[in-house]
């Protein structure tokens, strides 16, 4: 029973243990030392830990930064504070010691939060972590706190895919460890793992409703710590195998004034990175090879081109035969010169350039956040309560979201031996609509903009989609609506088909720590991540009847996650030897998740304007309700042992055993260990002759993690049932279920060094790691001739090996001015070693099934191979082979590898200049290498929207004679050779340069879409001014006051993609990265912020 | 205090060693699907798989087979993505084969609890189904995994099965059908020698609804079809089978007993067929088949002597009978229009101004509820018998019997297709159907009259060709078996099989490479075993 439900206790770590240890005194002359601890700027620092070295006594600074402590006259005081360099000061019998603490640029002495929330000095750790302050996250003002890490953390790849604010951000630490499972790290909020399901993983199409990390309010975050790789996260078990992001919320602190703080930010989001298109030629199709012209109506008026294909096109052959099934966005028509033509609705309008028609759907968006917090503290502890209101208006029409967050954080000293830690966040989130991404549905403007609307498109529908009587305009004009490859009612649907998404979420944890003895404490914690999600869809009727077209559906899901923990920690200084400190901990955790959802819908309506399941004319038109279940439990016991010698040698070992409900009963128990060692030569040896070397640490670690099956219900042999002929059918599963599934494993090795030079003005941290993931629980592909498409077995092997480098430099620092800069670099190779015996290729995603390119993983290659149809190359010359007419390239029979999306490296460069209260910060980040199938680029070529399609049309081509006998300099020779190796020398019409040889859907040559996707971006530029405390207090209102302005995602300094294709517009946040199609334009933002304390 | 810690630790360890997995099996029990089932629902799944796939119809039939066989004309180049079709056929078959082999495994288990004879009928039904499905696929691809295939659920060592030769597969299946004929007990509620009732599929037989007589006829009809299909390659083996069937007058499909998948009776909707034509758009009547129906090229249809012309096709937008030339020249105008769009439910006459050639009859490809998918027709059996008697396959040559079989088969075919029209609930522009013995007028037309013509075998092939109009895979087999003796204009394409779907080469590479190295190449130019 104990393990199942009850009190589980946890330590607040050796740091706090030390803080409150009883004094192990021995009699010497003692004095009382008092003083003030301030920052470099002269502001008092509250809550600085002041310890008497080797005595075990300590205190903290008060609201004015003052402290008072009794110590030996010849003792040493240790001052430590999060974000500042630890300062050791010999007392030398002084009664007053004021201390100015130096900000810790490299955070070598930083106290960081590690696994299970235990705070430790970063210098001790044998593995790599990075920490970020909550203020940084607020300043970045990104749509979610993870996005703020982009370019700031080595080895953390943050991918903002296609979409708008509120969508899913993919982030991966040190590459993919799962061939086909989740690869995003575990997010832990105040010790409670957050279920962060990705909103949209499908690369082809869909609506992205975002993931739960979007709901975490940056204003409530004290710090965010990244534990990279399995070594650091060994104690989080299965779910931490991809690394862990620890978020610690604010718990309040003593402060001057009335303890109220107000933050406000207002962000303006501007879509700006639109495709670069030509504005010279308008709608028109390759119906013949003469100069493009309009057809005329019986009155002689030129008519807007509406004939898309022709069965007797060039050479008497159908246009589809020569050019494939191109779209209605084709812009191969006449020059747009303002000539009056009869538009598709019968009106005469000028055929004129529409340089802004890609912007029709977009406008500036905004996000406003108000955060009010109450914070205070005293002997009983600290408490903080805050309320945050966020309102967002999207860059697309009729889409918005808002969120109200109430947060409560407290550290209570219930008695001298019992402390409580409380963290509660209640989130109420509402979102109205989210745009369709990628492909085809009734609100897919991305498709319309790219694939359906030519350069002459005026967007008339925006104003005429509703008739005066309120019904939908069905565009029933003579000759028909010309844009056949996009639903004609996009604008109507955008405003009348509404989905409201509501999420109510409670993340809460309460822990109690009992200091049983000075060297022993017990902590218990209960926590929950409780979520209610509701999607309500209402499609308005399309006519006066109030019935036709009306639709209603509702989906309600609840997700209850419970985490119960206990931890017992014993600590001993002078263990065996007076230089040895030791602590041992033993703990347990029970994780359980219980998810259930129901969805129903109305049928063909019987009653007007009634949005209810009961509104149906015919029972048979009502879909059956569907349900979803997910239930899982993991029980765990773990222990860890820390040993240090002389403050320069640190050993940490951990061991954990999990029991998971998703594995077979005989294999559901699995143990995994870790060990890490760090050594600080600069502490161990006298290296004073190397006065330039201020700090040096070497470290190494090994860890193994075991991972269960991600989802439940995978081990039973079940039959899917249906009906045929009025009786039941039972089908074997599509995947052969496992016989004896066992946990998958990853062995992780890490070594690194940290060097501080010139009094830590230059700090360098280098890490090399190697991770081998094996025994993957994988749906390994088999031929269907085996009876199924896949077999679920333990197989497959992945390797990640890489280096991470972090360099921080303080260039100038004096009393008024400082200039700091930092670089980070990460290179990871994510090699697929094996997919199982006999399996070499596993397709993980595609856009249009077998009718387009796909992403696969292939044994022996880096993760993320892009496959598609390629040129056939001549054996000798390597040139692509053309047909005898010189019009078409030959392409491979089947899809073959044509690229790989995995980048060569990622990196970031930060710079910070401070002058008095001003701080100017910049961030430049980069992704170097890795291919992208840029679908928007090839469609731009195929449809004649791209500027690349202009030269021949502008008479810069080769002499060419049209079928009607006219001549022009519009011909082209396609580079390549004939099958016999002879170079092509045939001048052909410029249509053949692009239309028949590029494209998307169908069996087209995919290779022209493969482009290296390298970019360098000015990610962030911010200016902050903080009034000095003295100046702020002169107002008699404020205790602190600061203002900031931040530009985010400002522009690309360098990109290899042509035509302004969005380098960060790849579809989907799943493992398959590298396919782009109809991406939205990139957007930048500018934020204005105010922070005031009262 | 040390004792306290030790005690707590011990409790934790002891607890988790015993009850940290409490309720795990219950928690992880799949809530959506059953873990148990019987042979009936599994068998019903196999029957349901007899329906044609959407992509098979689109990418194999409309894109390839109508064009190859010249049953119709593809008036514009298509999507040319045949692998989408072959993948579907392959997947459909092997998924079903997995079920068949699972049922066979259960038969073995059941044998230990009952007299083997009690399983005779269900065994026979399963063998017949397996034979039908396997013949269809091997006729498209040739050699293929079979004996070890579909067994991955039973043996993980067999998830990548070897390929077997078509000859081995054919002979095995024909033996299986022979077993079915010899062991099937068609009487109602049969019992074993000891009085135990036969195992029955009961309500799960949605093909013949428990009538074993029809299963027997189906099995023998399949034997006859495929024995004749291999007769050019292995006449001695084939003739034995043909003789056994014809000389013993074993029951075969007869008039009115055509085997079909019926949406109306089996409670499904054939939405794929209209989608196939609606999306493809360019399928039209070709001059080849038109000339089998009409005495001349009169656009008013006055030359039509076979009512099936008006069932299979309709006039163009101008109300004219206009075939697309089977061998178009570069100046041949192409076809457009919208003859298959669903607006014609309400505006039947609007086919689009560019629809200048006769399309498939709208209702034939629109009625999702009442137009069946054909498995075997009585007419086909008639043509097979006529050929056997005419050529002396397994029996002594007898022209008179052949002529009679042929004539009856043509009449059966006409009647079958007329019944299709009659059965449709939406077919409102039907031609004047023939009544009673009028159906013989088609067979007796001078162009079709076998009694008066010397090219009797050609007539048999022609009429079998016409009857297979909605079974283009059968016309494809006939074309290949007869070495191109089916009606055609110009040269036939060198297309004898379909390349294996890419997934097989990717996921079964060793066996695929072995197979292809033996064939020389995995192309449509390689002949299947039973071809001459």
């Amino acid at each position: 029973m104990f393990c199942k439900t009850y009190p589980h206790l946890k330590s607040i770590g050796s740091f706090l243990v030390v803080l409150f240890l009883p004094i192990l005194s021995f009699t010497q002359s003692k004095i009382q030392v008092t003083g003030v601890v301030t920052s470099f700027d002269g502001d008092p620092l509250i809550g600085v830990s002041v310890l008497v070295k080797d005595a075990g006594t300590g205190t903290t600074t008060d609201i004015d930064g003052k402290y008072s402590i009794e110590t030996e006259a010849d003792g040493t005081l240790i001052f430590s504070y999060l974000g500042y360099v630890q300062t050791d000061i010999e007392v030398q019998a002084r009664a007053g010691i004021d201390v100015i603490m130096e900000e810790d640029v490299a955070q070598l002495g930083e106290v960081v939060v590690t696994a299970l929330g235990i705070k430790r000095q970063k210098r001790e750790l044998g593995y790599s972590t990075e920490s970020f302050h909550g203020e940084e996250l607020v300043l970045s003002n990104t749509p979610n706190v993870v996005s703020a890490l982009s370019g700031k953390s080595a080895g953390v790849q943050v991918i903002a895919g296609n979409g708008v604010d509120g969508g899913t951000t993919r982030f991966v630490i040190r590459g993919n460890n799962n061939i086909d499972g989740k690869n995003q790290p575990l997010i832990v909020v105040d010790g409670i793992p957050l279920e962060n399901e990705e909103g949209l993983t499908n690369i082809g199409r869909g609506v992205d409703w975002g993931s739960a990390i979007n709901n975490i309010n940056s204003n409530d975050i004290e710090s965010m710590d990244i534990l990279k790789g399995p070594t650091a996260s060994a104690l989080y078990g299965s779910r931490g195998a991809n690394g862990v992001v620890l978020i610690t919320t604010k718990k309040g602190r003593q402060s001057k004034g009335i303890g109220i703080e107000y933050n406000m930010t207002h962000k303006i989001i501007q879509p700006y990175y639109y495709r670069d298109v030509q504005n010279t030629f308008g709608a028109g199709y390759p119906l013949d090879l003469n100069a493009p012209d309009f057809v005329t109506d019986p009155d002689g008026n030129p008519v807007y081109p509406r004939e898309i294909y022709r069965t007797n096109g060039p050479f008497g052959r159908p246009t589809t035969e020569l050019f494939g099934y191109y779209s209605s966005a084709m812009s191969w028509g006449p020059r747009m010169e303002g000539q009056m033509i009869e538009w598709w609705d019968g009106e005469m309008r000028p055929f004129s350039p529409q340089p802004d028609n890609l912007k029709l759907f977009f406008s500036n968006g905004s996000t406003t956040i108000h955060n009010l917090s109450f914070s205070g503290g005293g002997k009983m502890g600290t408490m903080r309560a805050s309320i945050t209101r966020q309102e967002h208006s999207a860059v697309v029409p009729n889409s918005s979201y808002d969120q109200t967050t109430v947060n409560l954080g407290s550290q209570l000293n219930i008695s001298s031996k019992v402390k409580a830690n409380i963290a509660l966040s209640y989130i109420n989130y509402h979102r109205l609509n989210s745009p369709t991404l990628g492909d085809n549905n009734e609100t897919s403007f991305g498709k319309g903009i790219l694939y359906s609307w030519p350069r002459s498109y005026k967007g008339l529908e925006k104003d005429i989609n509703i008739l005066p009587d309120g019904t939908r305009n069905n565009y029933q004009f003579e000759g028909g609506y010309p844009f056949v490859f996009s639903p004609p009612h996009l604008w109507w649907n955008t405003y009348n088909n509404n989905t409201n998404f509501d999420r109510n979420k409670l993340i809460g944890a309460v822990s109690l720590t009992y200091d049983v003895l000075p060297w022993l404490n017990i902590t218990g914690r209960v926590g929950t991540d409780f979520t209610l999600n509701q999607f309500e869809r209402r499609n308005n009727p399309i006519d006066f009847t109030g019935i036709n077209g009306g639709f209603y559906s509702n989906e309600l899901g609840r997700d209850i996650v419970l985490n119960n923990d206990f931890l017992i920690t014993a600590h001993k200084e002078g263990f065996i030897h007076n230089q040895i400190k030791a602590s041992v901990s033993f703990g347990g955790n029970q994780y359980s998740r219980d998810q259930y959802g129901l969805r129903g819908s109305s049928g063909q309506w019987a009653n007007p304007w009634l949005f209810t399941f009961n509104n149906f004319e015919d029972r048979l038109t009502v879909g059956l309700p569907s349900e979803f279940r997910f239930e899982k439990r993991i029980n765990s016991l773990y222990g860890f042992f820390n040993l240090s010698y002389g403050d320069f040698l640190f050993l940490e070992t951990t061991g954990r055993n999990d029991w998971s409900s998703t594995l077979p009963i005989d294999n559901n128990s699995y143990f995994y260990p870790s060990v890490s060692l760090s050594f600080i030569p600069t502490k161990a040896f006298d290296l004073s002759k190397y006065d330039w070397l201020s700090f040096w640490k070497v470290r190494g670690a090994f860890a193994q993690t075991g991972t269960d099956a991600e989802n439940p219900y995978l081990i039973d042999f079940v039959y899917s049932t249906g009906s045929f002929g009025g009786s039941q059918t039972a089908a074997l599963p599509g995947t052969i279920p496992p016989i004896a599934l066992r946990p998958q494993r990853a062995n992780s090795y890490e070594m690194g060094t940290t060097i501080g030079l010139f009094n830590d003005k230059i700090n360098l941290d280098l890490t090399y790691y190697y991770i081998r993931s094996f025994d993957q629980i994988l749906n390994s592909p088999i031929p269907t001739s085996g009876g199924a498409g896949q077999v679920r077995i333990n197989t497959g092997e992945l390797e990640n090996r890489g280096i991470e480098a972090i360099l921080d430099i303080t260039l100038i620092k004096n009393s008024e001015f400082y200039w700091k800069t930092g670089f980070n670099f990460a290179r990871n190779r994510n090699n697929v070693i094996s997919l199982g015996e006999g399996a070499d290729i596993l397709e993980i995603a595609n856009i249009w099934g077998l009718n387009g390119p796909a992403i696969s993983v292939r044994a022996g290659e880096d993760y993320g191979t892009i496959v598609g149809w390629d040129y056939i190359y001549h054996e000798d010359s390597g040139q692509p082979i053309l047909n005898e007419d010189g019009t078409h390239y030959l392409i491979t029979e089947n899809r073959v590898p044509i690229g790989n999306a995995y980048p060569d490296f990622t990196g970031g460069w930060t710079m910070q200049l401070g002058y008095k209260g001003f701080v100017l910060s910049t961030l430049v980040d980069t992704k170097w290498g890795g291919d992208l199938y840029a679908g928007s680029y090839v469609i731009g070529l195929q449809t004649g929207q791209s500027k690349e399609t202009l030269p021949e049309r502008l008479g810069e081509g080769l002499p060419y004679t049209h079928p009607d006998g006219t001549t022009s300099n519009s011909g082209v020779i396609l580079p390549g050779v004939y099958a016999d190796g002879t170079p092509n020398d045939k001048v052909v019409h410029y249509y053949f340069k692009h239309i028949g040889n590029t494209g998307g859907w169908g069996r087209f040559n995919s290779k022209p879409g493969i482009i290296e996707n390298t970019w360098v971006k000015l990610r962030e530029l911010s200016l902050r001014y903080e009034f000095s405390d003295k100046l702020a207090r002169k107002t008699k209102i404020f205790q602190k006051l600061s203002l900031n302005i931040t530009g985010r995602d400002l522009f690309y300094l360098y990109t290899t993609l042509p035509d302004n294709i969005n380098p960060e517009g790849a579809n989907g946040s799943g493992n398959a990265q590298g396919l782009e199609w109809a991406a939205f334009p990139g957007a930048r933002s500018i934020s204005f912020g105010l922070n005031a304390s009262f | 205090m040390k004792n306290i810690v030790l005690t707590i630790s011990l409790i934790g360890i002891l607890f988790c060693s015993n009850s940290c997995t409490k309720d795990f099996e219950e928690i992880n029990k799949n809530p959506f699907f059953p873990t148990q089932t019987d042979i009936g629902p599994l068998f019903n799944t196999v029957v349901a798989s007899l329906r044609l796939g959407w992509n098979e119809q689109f990418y194999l039939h409309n894109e390839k087979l109508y064009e190859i066989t010249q049953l119709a004309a593809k008036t514009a180049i298509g999507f040319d993505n045949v692998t989408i079709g072959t993948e579907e056929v392959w997947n459909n078959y092997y998924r079903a084969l997995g079920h068949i082999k699972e049922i066979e495994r259960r038969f073995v288990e059941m044998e230990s609890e009952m007299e083997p004879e009690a399983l005779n009928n269900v065994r026979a039904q399963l063998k017949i189904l397996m034979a039908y499905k396997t013949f269809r696929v091997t006729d498209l691809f040739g050699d293929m995994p079979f004996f070890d295939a579909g067994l991955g659920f039973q043996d993980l060592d067999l998830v990548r099965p070897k390929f077997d030769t078509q000859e081995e597969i054919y002979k095995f299946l024909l033996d299986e059908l022979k077993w079915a004929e010899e062991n099937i007990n068609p009487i109602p509620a049969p019992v074993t020698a000891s009085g135990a009732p036969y195992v029955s599929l009961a309500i799960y037989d949605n093909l013949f609804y428990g009538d074993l007589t029809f299963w027997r006829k189906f099995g023998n009809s399949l034997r006859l079809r495929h024995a004749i299909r291999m007769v050019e390659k292995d006449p001695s083996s084939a003739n034995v089978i043909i003789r056994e069937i014809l000389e013993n007058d074993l029951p075969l499909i007869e008039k009115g007993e055509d085997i079909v998948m019926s949406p109306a009776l089996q409670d499904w909707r054939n939405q794929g067929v209209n989608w196939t034509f609606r999306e493809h758009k360019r399928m039209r009547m070709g001059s080849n088949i038109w000339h089998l129906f009409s005495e001349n090229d009169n656009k008013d249809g006055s030359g039509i002597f076979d009512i099936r012309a008006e069932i299979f096709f309709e006039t163009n937008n101008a109300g004219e009978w206009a075939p697309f030339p089977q061998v178009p020249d570069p100046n041949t105008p192409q076809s457009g229009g919208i003859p298959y769009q669903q607006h014609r439910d309400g505006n039947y006459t609007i086919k689009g101004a560019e629809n200048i050639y006769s399309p498939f009859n709208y209702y034939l490809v629109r009625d999702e509820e009442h137009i069946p998918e054909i498995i075997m027709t009585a007419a086909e059996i008639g043509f097979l018998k006529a050929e056997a008697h005419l050529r002396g396959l397994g029996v002594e040559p007898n022209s008179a019997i052949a002529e009679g079989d042929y004539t009856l088969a043509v009449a059966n075919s006409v009647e079958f297709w007329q019944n299709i029209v009659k059965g449709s609930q939406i077919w409102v522009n039907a031609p004047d159907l023939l009544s009673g013995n009028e159906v013989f007028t088609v067979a007796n037309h001078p162009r079709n009259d076998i009694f008066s013509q010397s090219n009797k075998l050609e007539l048999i092939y022609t009429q079998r060709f016409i009857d297979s109009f909605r079974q283009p895979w059968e016309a494809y087999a006939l074309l290949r078996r007869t070495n191109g003796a089916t009606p055609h204009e110009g040269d036939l394409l060198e297309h004898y099989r379909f390349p294996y779907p890419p997934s097989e080469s990717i996921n079964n590479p060793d066996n695929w490479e072995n197979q292809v190295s033996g064939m020389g190449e995995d192309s449509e130019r390689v002949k299947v075993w039973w071809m001459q």
Side-chain angles (χ1 to χ4, degrees), chain B residues 480-526:
Chain B
R480 290 178 290 163
R481 172 170 75 82
T482 61
N483 210 12
T486 49
H488 63 272
E489 297 177 0
D491 295 331
L492 287 165
L493 298 170
E494 273 189 276
H495 194 291
Y496 308 126
R497 62 179 286 276
F498 285 93
Y500 298 116
S503 66
E504 193 67 23
S505 63
I506 291 170
N507 296 320
N508 196 9
D510 294 343
N511 291 313
W512 178 85
E513 280 166 16
N514 272 341
Q515 172 63 25
V516 173
S517 65
M519 292 163 59
E521 60 178 357
D522 182 14
S523 80
E524 67 276 5
R525 292 180 295 276
V526 178

Side-chain angles (χ1 to χ4, degrees), chain A residues 951-1011:
Chain A
E952 292 83 9
R953 286 194 272 181
L954 295 174
E956 297 169 11
L958 300 170
Y960 178 77
T961 304
H962 298 274
D964 62 5
T966 58
T967 58
S968 65
N969 289 328
S970 63
V972 63
I973 296 174
L974 301 186
V977 298
Y978 303 117
D980 63 2
T982 313
N984 176 33
D985 58 357
K986 291 191 173 67
V987 178
V988 297
H989 193 279
Y990 58 77
Y991 288 155
F992 294 103
K993 185 176 178 183
H994 300 298
I995 307 178
N997 291 302
T998 57
W1001 190 93
R1003 193 165 168 268
F1004 275 107
N1005 188 358
S1006 315
K1007 195 61 177 286
I1010 296 295
I1011 303 170

Side-chain angles (χ1 to χ4, degrees), chain A residues 276-297:
Chain A
D276 192 19
V277 291
Q278 58 91 7
N279 289 299
T280 308
F281 298 94
Y285 305 91
L287 305 177
D288 56 46
L289 300 181
N290 296 321
D293 200 0
F294 298 106
V295 295
T296 54
D297 69 5

